[in-house]
Amino acid sequence: MRAGRHPVVETSLPDGETFVANDTVLDADRDQIAILTGPNMAGKSTTLRQVGLIVLLAQIGSHVPAASAHIGLVDRIFTRVGAQDNIAAGESTFLVEMQEAANILNNGTKQSLILLDEVGRGTSTYDGVSIAWAITEYIHERIGARTLFATHYHELTELAELKDGVVSFNVAAREYGDDVVFLHKLVEGAANKSYGVAVARLAGVAEIVLARAK
């Protein structure tokens, strides 16, 4: 897909702002799994949703918001996006996340599209990285589905060097002093940092807290 756009985000932008289109290539052989890294607010989740919507629109024979696209049939689109719990049933955010991940691993096929956003974030870092790594390996070796995996676990980008069919991309950002500018553009390779302190500044966190965090 060349120059794909998110149809809802694009129409919701303030006057004068332009949606930054991105290319996405996934196939069952060379580019089966793409690991997306980059800071919060840079556009990782938008990219996942954009790809899911475009593939869904293509399946029903609709126009798709892209300069061009070659999209094969998919049997299902699986998503693990967002954070939610089920307090009434005594289910934590992490348990719900793992239930959704289990559904994907148990039912996904080589013809599926899998979209994963921050899997493993609801537990300790070591457990989270381990689970995310193992899930990625399982999809790669057992399922074979085309997959986009957005994560802050930069360790996962090592899989691009270890596994054929796993590639690494990041959503570009630039620092200017203490500020960060999000370019919303997918570039090849892993992000070198997550710019968490800069994002906290944008949210209005007190300077004394930011200084201590640094």
Side-chain angles (χ1 to χ4, degrees):
M1 174 173 54
R2 187 169 64 85
R5 309 183 309 279
H6 191 300
V8 178
V9 173
E10 184 177 35
T11 58
S12 304
L13 290 174
D15 291 341
E17 290 193 20
T18 303
F19 188 89
V20 178
N22 277 295
D23 300 343
T24 308
V25 177
L26 290 174
D27 60 56
D29 301 312
R30 291 183 306 167
D31 304 303
Q32 180 212 333
I33 299 177
I35 307 293
L36 303 182
T37 51
N40 287 311
M41 298 173 57
K44 297 191 303 298
S45 296
T46 298
T47 299
L48 262 64
R49 290 174 169 89
Q50 168 183 311
V51 169
L53 283 169
I54 288 174
V55 170
L56 180 61
L57 289 169
Q59 303 307 298
I60 63 173
S62 170
H63 163 80
V64 299
S68 63
H70 180 80
I71 300 171
L73 292 174
V74 300
D75 56 10
R76 277 167 292 187
I77 299 173
F78 290 99
T79 65
R80 161 82 286 283
V81 177
Q84 60 182 6
D85 55 25
N86 187 352
I87 297 174
E91 297 174 348
S92 69
T93 300
F94 182 65
L95 177 59
V96 171
E97 180 181 300
M98 289 299 98
Q99 288 172 336
E100 293 178 359
N103 177 57
I104 293 170
L105 299 181
N106 291 332
N107 296 294
T109 73
K110 190 172 183 177
Q111 285 69 48
S112 302
L113 173 67
I114 299 176
L115 306 173
L116 303 173
D117 193 7
E118 304 291 354
V119 170
R121 64 183 167 182
T123 187
S124 70
T125 300
Y126 292 124
D127 281 359
V129 170
S130 300
I131 290 169
W133 184 289
I135 285 174
T136 306
E137 282 188 333
Y138 188 91
I139 292 171
H140 177 261
E141 295 165 10
R142 300 290 187 91
I143 301 176
R146 289 159 290 178
T147 302
L148 280 175
F149 194 154
T151 184
H152 282 293
Y153 294 143
H154 294 179
E155 295 88 345
L156 294 186
T157 60
E158 294 176 24
L159 284 165
E161 301 173 11
L162 299 173
K163 306 284 186 182
D164 292 335
V166 179
V167 292
S168 178
F169 288 87
N170 74 88
V171 188
R174 294 290 182 271
E175 277 186 297
Y176 296 94
D178 288 331
D179 296 322
V180 61
V181 176
F182 304 114
L183 304 180
H184 306 298
K185 195 68 179 174
L186 283 179
V187 295
E188 198 167 352
N192 58 2
K193 58 193 300 186
S194 290
Y195 303 97
V197 174
V199 173
R201 174 173 282 105
L202 287 174
V205 173
E207 284 297 327
I208 190 171
V209 176
L210 299 174
R212 178 59 179 159
K214 276 192 168 183

